[in-house]
Amino acid sequence: MSENETENDTPVSDTLLAMTITSLENSDLGPRELMIARIAALVAVDAPAASYALNAVPATESDIDLDDVEDILVAVAPIVGTTRIVSAAANIAEGLGLVIALAEAELEDELEAED
């Protein structure tokens, strides 16, 4: 077992978090504009549902709502094409489902802990 493995139980998520922090620190975009760019990039690379789920909370905290996401899809559609838009819409819905399921599980755990 390496030194990193003993100190770090979540190396992948920790790396992604570090990359995101560096991106935020090195960008002059405001939080809302940065999230718009990130969502557009997720669409462009045909990101999986988990990627949208990971960005759901930061997007919400940046005042991005579903109407904004729809506008982003419309804006990038001529560039990425129908297939990517359909895929993104499905992955966004699935990603939001993951976020909701995780929130429900956390709430259940909290309620059980109170009993």
Side-chain angles (χ1 to χ4, degrees):
M1 191 179 308
S2 74
E3 183 179 318
N4 283 342
E5 289 175 316
T6 58
E7 295 176 8
N8 186 354
D9 293 336
T10 56
V12 175
S13 62
D14 291 348
T15 300
L16 293 173
L17 178 60
M19 290 168 46
T20 299
I21 290 169
T22 300
S23 174
L24 292 170
E25 290 172 347
N26 292 320
S27 174
D28 289 332
L29 294 175
R32 181 174 165 76
E33 291 78 16
L34 185 71
M35 286 311 304
I36 289 170
R38 289 175 67 101
I39 293 167
L42 290 172
V43 174
V45 300
D46 198 20
S51 293
Y52 290 102
L54 289 171
N55 284 280
V57 171
T60 301
E61 290 173 351
S62 300
D63 294 326
I64 303 285
D65 61 25
L66 288 177
D67 288 335
D68 295 320
V69 173
E70 182 178 57
D71 288 340
I72 294 165
L73 293 176
V74 169
V76 301
I79 308 295
V80 301
T82 304
T83 322
R84 289 279 165 98
I85 296 301
V86 171
S87 178
N91 288 332
I92 289 167
E94 185 179 343
L96 291 176
L98 292 170
V99 171
I100 291 168
L102 288 171
E104 287 175 344
E106 282 183 31
L107 182 58
E108 286 176 15
D109 289 345
E110 288 175 15
L111 292 174
E112 287 178 10
E114 291 177 4
D115 290 339

